[in-house]
Amino acid sequence: MATFLYKLGRLSFRRRHLVALIWVALLTLAGVGAASAPAAGNSSFSIPGTEAQKAFDLLEQRFPGTSADGATARVVFKAPSGEKMTDPGNKATVQDTVKELSDGSEVVRVTDPYQAKAVSKDGRIAYAQVSYKVSGMELDDAAKDALEDSAQDARKAGLTVEIGGDALQAVPHTGSSEVIGIAVAAVVLVITFGSLVAAGLPLLTALIGVGIGVSAITGLASALDLGTTTSTLAMMIGLAVGIDYALFIVSRYRAELAEGREREEAAGRAVGTAGSAVVFAGLTVVIALVGLSVVNIPMLTKMGIAAAGTVAIAVLIALTMIPALLGYAGRRVKPMGEKGKLLGRTPKQKPERPNLGTRWASFVVRRPLAVLLLGVIGLGAAAVPATSLELGLPDDGSQPTSTTQRRAYDLLSEGFGPGFNGPLMVVVDAKNSDDPKAVFTQTGDEIKGLKDVVTVTPAQPNKAGDTATITVIPGSKPSSVTTENLVHGIRDAGADIKAGTDATVLVTGSTAMNIDVSEKLNDALVPYLVLVVGLAFLLLIVVFRSVLVPLKAALGFLLSVMAALGAVVAVFQWGWLSGLMGVEQTGPVMSMMPIFMVGVVFGLAMDYEVFLVTRMREAYVHGEKPAQAVVTGFRHGARVVTAAAVIMMAVFAGFIGSSESMVKMIGFGLAIAVFFDAFIVRMAIVPAVLALLGRTAWWLPKWLDRALPNVDVEGEGLRAASGDDDGDRELVRV
């Protein structure tokens, strides 16, 4: 592989005009496609195989024309102090509002609070429910404006009016902190390279790669039913890995220049050696992201594949466009050890002084057991909050208190109880029963006898009379364990009803769907771990030609991800430092967060493992003792790996400013996970373990050594072809 990539690097350097033209053309084509593509609606959220999804599908079949997937809005009214919603003036205002809401072209129906008995017992609070033909993201701005205008008119009459539901769903924005993250990355690159030109190359190529990836996602969003979060995730990961991969190749290029090679040769060597590590690091990220498809949640699958595509683009750009741009930069990119005029430093003859990476590695190999114990105990302590992990999906109760959706949620809880915000819809399929009406009545009576049930509405049958819906109002809030137990209780009662009447009882609604999603994700976590970690383990055996090094890498990753989950629980569930992170409302951690972090963090963690440990293996293979090989790896790789980790943390942390709670949580989780993995696992635990294992770390059964393909990550083929003598020259790797 190194020889092929070497030739690719030299070709890209020589034919830089063609390479640059191809990538600019691809960016332009993707941009035009994104601009001309139809606007994407809200991504449909379906969970194949769950009971809630089966009930939803049955509703669409047996109750046609009801727009089961359409947006809804709850317009909540509260009377002024000393008044009631049943007072003539307030009642007239509400009825005028209902009439005004009914005039919308996309409105299916509006319930009158007084006819639907949607007035609280104390008479202070009432609500009208508006159902639309289309989803919240597809709703016209005119319809949203009409909804808000009608509420404003009622406010002028003296009522408190808030609007809940998904009708006012807005496209999330990331805020200025994303730009700050990129700015931090730029500063780190300038400090690392000491040159604006060298620092600008990784930023430029990363932005081009992300531009192509996100534009392609935008262009295909309508056809493939991709949501807004898909492009945000692709941007987040694409920026991080794009900058890092380019950083490693530019650093290796500067090291090759310092060895005295010509620029074209240096570009070829950089792509042939560091590029090999980029390919395998990128493969681990792609495996982890594509592996999310095993969970069988379409939204998660699309997010993973889209992000994996952006990572693949980042790898290709690093291998081709970086050497092309290095050709354009010429002498403005200086050899390693030389600083540009930007930092006011010029090469000086002075005694060789061990760099910080060398000093740190020397310290670790002298005290490996102490460093190992300290790192493991520290990460273990950070992981403790993960034992209290509560999973759920965000609803209006997790919105900031400044939003009308959250205020509507609180008003409904005040007037009708906390469970009113998470009603359960029970669908009774009595098509195979002899007496469907009796089954509907029996089902309602059974549910009334369960714990934590406040209200059970009479069954509402369809025109055929073979299927009915029953609305159940729990006594607890939607995200509570008590409500989850109630859902399972209804399903258990449904199993008994089916045994006696041959009727099927299904529970659906957003609350039941959230519960099913959480359970599905929990069930998929272990198979996903086995698949992704197993494939990456085999890949790393090929790269390192060792059994224990990949095993150590996988165990270190588990420490990182558990500590990161602990930090997420502490901030987003317990509320620690929530003000600093902009978390206005604590609550359960997003259901897909654990499995998502496992996938993404594993891929990113293997980046640093590949870049750092391949240099150690190279030194060991060329005759250095195991402890000295660790020091050599750090001498040439620690500075660049540190810069790469800081950049990745800055990019991820930039998304903490997003208005979308899911994006905010993902940004924080990935940023803290990179910190734990890069600076504690890879920089402390890994060298300590390698120092303790000694030569055993690089053990590989002979039969396996013969069976494995030689991918030549270290570039042995290049040295053999050029006749380099390691005795005369020490090759620098990043």
Side-chain angles (χ1 to χ4, degrees):
M1 175 178 287
T3 303
F4 168 76
L5 294 178
Y6 164 78
K7 294 177 180 178
L8 179 63
R10 294 197 62 168
L11 178 65
S12 299
F13 189 95
R14 287 197 309 272
R15 301 294 180 88
R16 47 187 173 272
H17 301 308
L18 177 61
V19 172
L21 180 63
I22 290 173
W23 283 112
V24 171
L26 287 174
L27 178 61
T28 304
L29 183 64
V32 171
S36 59
N42 190 28
S43 178
S44 60
F45 189 77
S46 62
I47 313 295
T50 61
E51 180 173 317
Q53 187 64 45
K54 291 177 183 177
F56 185 83
D57 295 339
L58 183 65
L59 282 174
E60 290 190 327
Q61 178 185 347
R62 303 286 176 84
F63 292 82
T66 57
S67 300
D69 59 344
T72 59
R74 277 180 171 177
V75 183
V76 188
F77 306 90
K78 183 176 181 179
S81 179
E83 299 182 18
K84 293 187 176 182
M85 291 306 304
T86 51
D87 293 344
N90 294 334
K91 185 174 182 179
T93 299
V94 171
Q95 290 177 331
D96 289 342
T97 303
V98 169
K99 183 179 179 181
E100 185 179 348
L101 289 170
S102 302
D103 294 337
S105 60
E106 294 182 321
V107 175
V108 176
R109 62 183 175 275
V110 182
T111 61
D112 186 315
Y114 304 100
Q115 295 179 4
K117 298 181 180 179
V119 181
S120 62
K121 290 182 180 180
D122 61 6
R124 293 288 312 283
I125 297 173
Y127 74 91
Q129 181 153 315
V130 188
S131 300
Y132 293 90
K133 299 176 182 177
V134 296
S135 66
M137 293 296 287
E138 297 171 319
L139 203 60
D140 288 342
D141 290 339
K144 295 181 180 181
D145 292 340
L147 182 61
E148 293 176 329
D149 291 343
S150 63
Q152 188 60 36
D153 293 340
R155 290 188 187 107
K156 292 178 181 178
L159 298 178
T160 298
V161 186
E162 303 296 346
I163 304 172
D166 59 353
L168 294 182
Q169 186 174 4
V171 176
H173 59 85
T174 54
S176 60
S177 56
E178 176 189 347
V179 178
I180 295 174
I182 297 176
V184 171
V187 171
V188 173
L189 286 169
V190 171
I191 294 174
T192 302
F193 292 133
S195 164
L196 284 176
V197 175
L201 295 182
L203 281 176
L204 176 61
T205 54
L207 290 173
I208 291 174
V210 167
I212 294 173
V214 172
S215 296
I217 291 170
T218 304
L220 297 172
S222 178
L224 300 182
D225 191 25
L226 304 178
T228 54
T229 308
T230 303
S231 59
T232 304
L233 174 66
M235 181 189 303
M236 183 189 303
I237 296 179
L239 272 176
V241 300
I243 294 174
D244 277 9
Y245 295 164
L247 166 65
F248 283 107
I249 291 181
V250 173
S251 298
R252 178 60 196 235
Y253 171 76
R254 296 176 69 235
E256 294 293 340
L257 290 179
E259 291 289 326
R261 294 189 173 90
E262 294 295 328
R263 293 187 177 273
E264 182 179 329
E265 176 69 12
R269 291 279 184 141
V271 176
T273 51
S276 297
V278 166
V279 169
F280 282 101
L283 274 175
T284 59
V285 180
V286 169
I287 287 173
L289 290 170
V290 174
L292 290 170
S293 59
V294 304
V295 184
N296 196 27
I297 294 180
M299 184 183 75
L300 196 59
T301 299
K302 293 170 185 176
M303 288 171 63
I305 293 175
T310 308
V311 172
I313 292 172
V315 172
L316 292 174
I317 282 186
L319 298 178
T320 57
M321 194 169 186
I322 281 292
L325 293 180
L326 289 172
Y328 283 117
R331 297 185 180 278
R332 287 186 291 273
V333 177
K334 300 182 179 298
M336 185 170 288
E338 293 187 27
K339 299 290 183 180
K341 294 180 180 179
L342 180 66
L343 299 183
R345 293 174 57 183
T346 56
K348 295 180 180 179
Q349 296 294 331
K350 57 182 181 180
E352 186 75 19
R353 180 173 179 267
N355 60 23
L356 182 59
T358 302
R359 298 197 298 273
W360 169 249
S362 299
F363 170 79
V364 173
V365 298
R366 287 197 304 269
R367 300 174 178 82
L369 187 59
V371 172
L372 175 62
L373 291 176
L374 186 61
V376 171
I377 291 172
L379 290 177
V384 168
T387 58
S388 302
L389 178 66
E390 295 178 8
L391 298 176
L393 289 178
D395 55 19
D396 284 349
S398 62
Q399 296 270 6
T401 53
S402 58
T403 62
T404 185
Q405 292 95 330
R406 172 59 190 277
R407 291 195 293 265
Y409 180 97
D410 292 340
L411 283 177
L412 289 172
S413 296
E414 176 187 341
F416 301 93
F420 196 80
N421 285 291
L424 305 175
M425 180 176 288
V426 179
V427 183
V428 185
D429 180 7
K431 191 173 184 178
N432 298 325
S433 299
D434 297 332
D435 189 353
K437 289 185 178 179
V439 173
F440 301 154
T441 302
Q442 179 186 353
T443 302
D445 292 340
E446 290 279 351
I447 295 173
K448 288 178 183 177
L450 298 175
K451 294 181 179 179
D452 200 49
V453 173
V454 174
T455 304
V456 178
T457 65
Q460 301 292 322
N462 62 350
K463 290 183 180 180
D466 59 3
T467 307
T469 60
I470 300 173
T471 301
V472 180
I473 306 298
S476 304
K477 63 181 182 179
S479 58
S480 69
V481 176
T482 307
T483 301
E484 182 178 347
N485 292 336
L486 174 59
V487 170
H488 290 302
I490 296 174
R491 288 172 174 171
D492 291 340
D496 295 336
I497 293 172
K498 183 176 179 63
T501 64
D502 206 25
T504 302
V505 178
L506 304 172
V507 185
T508 189
S510 59
T511 301
M513 184 71 80
N514 291 352
I515 292 170
D516 286 351
V517 169
S518 297
E519 292 179 352
K520 189 177 182 69
L521 288 166
N522 287 337
D523 293 342
L525 183 57
V526 173
Y528 175 70
L529 257 176
V530 172
L531 173 69
V532 173
V533 176
L535 288 175
F537 180 77
L538 296 175
L539 184 66
L540 292 178
I541 287 179
V542 174
V543 174
F544 296 129
R545 307 195 76 80
S546 164
V547 174
L548 295 180
V549 171
L551 179 61
K552 171 264 307 170
L555 293 176
F557 148 74
L558 291 176
L559 279 173
S560 300
V561 77
M562 288 304 298
L565 274 177
V568 169
V569 170
V571 173
F572 290 88
Q573 186 175 311
W574 291 0
W576 294 4
L577 302 177
S578 56
L580 181 64
M581 299 297 167
V583 180
E584 295 188 30
Q585 180 65 32
T586 59
V589 173
M590 183 180 60
S591 297
M592 64 181 67
M593 193 67 186
I595 199 165
F596 184 80
M597 283 189 65
V598 165
V600 178
V601 174
F602 181 78
L604 299 178
M606 294 307 103
D607 280 5
Y608 304 116
E609 181 76 13
V610 170
F611 288 124
L612 198 57
V613 180
T614 48
R615 184 60 185 90
M616 298 178 189
R617 181 181 182 276
E618 179 187 2
Y620 174 76
V621 168
H622 285 81
E624 291 189 9
K625 294 181 179 179
Q628 183 57 40
V630 171
V631 176
T632 300
F634 268 77
R635 180 167 71 249
H636 299 301
R639 176 183 175 88
V640 180
V641 168
T642 300
V646 172
I647 288 170
M648 194 171 281
M649 288 168 55
V651 172
F652 288 149
F655 288 84
I656 295 176
S658 173
S659 62
E660 176 67 41
S661 60
M662 175 178 172
V663 175
K664 182 190 293 286
M665 190 179 295
I666 289 174
F668 172 80
L670 294 183
I672 197 68
V674 169
F675 171 78
F676 287 146
D677 195 85
F679 293 105
I680 299 180
V681 174
R682 309 303 154 189
M683 291 289 186
I685 294 178
V686 165
V689 171
L690 291 178
L692 288 171
L693 291 176
R695 297 184 183 277
T696 309
W698 306 105
W699 170 78
L700 185 70
K702 291 183 179 180
W703 64 267
L704 185 57
D705 188 33
R706 291 191 298 269
L708 291 177
N710 184 13
V711 295
D712 190 20
V713 177
E714 294 82 12
E716 290 291 328
L718 298 182
R719 284 193 287 276
S722 62
D724 282 355
D725 184 359
D726 290 336
D728 297 330
R729 178 189 297 156
E730 179 186 11
L731 294 178
V732 179
R733 272 190 176 273
V734 294

